[in-house]
Amino acid sequence: MIKKCLFPAAGYGTRFLPATKSMPKEMMPIVNKPLIEFGVDEALEAGMSDICIVTGRGKHSLMDHFDINYELEHQISGTVKEKKLKDIRLIMDKASFTFIRQREMKGLGHAILTGEKLIGDEAFAVVLADDLCVKDGAEQGVLSQMVALYDKYKCSIVAVESVPENETHKYGIVQGTRIDDNLYRVENMVEKPEPGTAPSNMAIIGRYILTPDIFEILKNTQPGKAGEIQITDALLEQAKKGRVLAYKFKGKRFDCGSIPGFIEATNYVYENVYQE
Ligand code: UTP
């Protein structure tokens, strides 16, 4: 059983400046719900109730969001507005939240390594909340689909999707051998390849299941692209030592770390998900 889900949320979110000067990117709302709350919903659906968040300076609102606001709740208690807090109250009943601070922003791999103290020696999921995933007709969320695969294969799994060739330079790209429908054994992985050099168009998106040996590998991973400790480098090492799978998930993903993706997600959620 995978119980823990790690949310690296310490990045600067520079693509959304000035909004992210004092507000975490993960708190930006898609219609009326912060990005991170969508991710927590997906984790809970997949049976993960230990939510571990890696934060950084200026990210207090992430903690406040998953806590009681006595004054506000007292103020709207008994009014029609109270129902607007129903979902977040349910989350708080079902999940526990722990936080750890990444003091220096040394990349996603480093953020995941910072989470080791919260995770310990067990397999866990990682969600990058700025990748918003919706079912869009699929039976289950992406994390639930990945947990089912983990139960069978017991190894690290990354979620991938096909992207147009002129976008491969924005992603970690996987090259693999097909072992089942939508499932590949990872042979190679490159972080943000130069245009025209990508080994495939299978791009890693912000959903991972990782086995805990990844922490030892990360401790020995040298800074790579952009001087940051890259999770793709550590995963490639893990793939060489054992097995890592890449899974083409069912559903739809929005890159809410970019402005066009954020707008697209807002329109989609307003039209298909949001209920007044
Ligand atoms: P991004 O590459 O999207 O970086 O990080 P960013 O800082 O959030 O956004 P931009 O590019 O400046 O606009 C991917 C994920 O990894 C986390 C981010 O919070 C995001 O969820 N991250 C990244 C960390 O937690 N720590 C880091 O040092 C780097």
Side-chain angles (χ1 to χ4, degrees):
M1 278 287 271
I2 296 186
K3 300 289 333 155
K4 295 187 178 176
C5 186
L6 187 72
F7 287 75
Y12 291 122
T14 52
R15 282 169 288 172
F16 277 91
L17 283 170
T20 43
K21 186 162 174 252
S22 61
M23 181 175 94
K25 175 168 77 172
E26 298 74 14
M27 283 303 292
M28 304 231 314
I30 300 295
V31 189
N32 63 339
K33 196 197 269 199
L35 275 169
I36 192 150
E37 196 180 319
F38 284 93
V40 172
D41 282 342
E42 195 186 317
L44 280 170
E45 184 212 40
M48 299 164 202
S49 54
D50 289 5
I51 306 297
C52 310
I53 303 182
V54 181
T55 67
R57 271 179 294 282
K59 302 260 184 177
H60 293 286
S61 57
L62 281 170
M63 278 178 241
D64 292 342
H65 186 68
F66 296 107
D67 198 356
I68 292 170
N69 179 338
Y70 285 105
E71 203 178 312
L72 169 75
E73 297 192 25
H74 175 73
Q75 210 41 254
I76 65 172
S77 156
T79 74
V80 287
K81 291 182 183 160
E82 205 175 2
K83 72 172 195 303
K84 291 190 182 281
L85 292 179
K86 193 176 96 257
D87 290 353
I88 184 75
R89 279 183 181 156
L90 269 177
I91 288 180
M92 283 159 55
D93 284 347
K94 286 191 198 155
S96 71
F97 291 85
T98 48
F99 299 86
I100 193 161
R101 224 154 129 144
Q102 186 188 14
R103 289 196 206 117
E104 290 173 280
M105 308 320 158
K106 292 195 205 160
L108 177 57
H110 181 259
I112 292 173
L113 183 56
T114 304
E116 182 183 15
K117 289 210 167 53
L118 304 181
I119 300 295
D121 190 23
E122 57 189 279
F124 62 105
V126 174
V127 168
L128 305 187
D130 53 359
D131 266 343
L132 172 64
C133 293
V134 294
K135 290 181 192 165
D136 197 46
E139 270 172 39
Q140 296 180 306
V142 180
L143 280 185
S144 297
Q145 297 168 40
M146 293 173 79
V147 164
L149 287 172
Y150 176 78
D151 287 344
K152 185 167 173 196
Y153 292 98
K154 304 279 184 230
C155 65
S156 290
I157 306 168
V158 296
V160 293
E161 75 174 14
S162 301
V163 298
E165 241 149 68
N166 60 0
E167 287 190 17
T168 49
H169 65 283
K170 298 181 191 165
Y171 295 92
I173 299 291
V174 165
Q175 187 178 27
T177 318
R178 185 180 171 284
I179 59 167
D180 206 340
D181 281 353
N182 299 317
L183 198 61
Y184 301 81
R185 187 180 177 137
V186 172
E187 311 286 355
N188 193 10
M189 242 182 215
V190 193
E191 182 62 26
K192 300 193 175 84
E194 295 298 324
T197 68
S200 84
N201 69 341
M202 278 202 292
I204 304 175
I205 65 127
R207 299 290 181 279
Y208 307 74
I209 287 184
L210 301 175
T211 51
D213 53 312
I214 198 76
F215 293 127
E216 274 318 303
I217 300 175
L218 278 168
K219 281 173 201 164
N220 295 308
T221 301
Q222 297 307 310
K225 259 251 146 72
E228 296 185 335
I229 297 177
Q230 300 290 351
I231 187 66
T232 32
D233 293 341
L235 278 164
L236 180 58
E237 187 63 25
Q238 201 179 34
K240 284 181 187 158
K241 284 183 175 160
R243 180 171 64 180
V244 172
L245 299 177
Y247 170 57
K248 268 193 187 162
F249 63 95
K250 298 185 182 73
K252 195 168 168 58
R253 176 199 69 113
F254 298 96
D255 174 13
C256 294
S258 77
I259 289 182
F262 186 87
I263 302 297
E264 209 189 317
T266 302
N267 289 329
Y268 180 94
V269 169
Y270 184 61
E271 279 157 26
N272 301 287
V273 183
Y274 171 68
Q275 288 170 337
E276 256 190 73

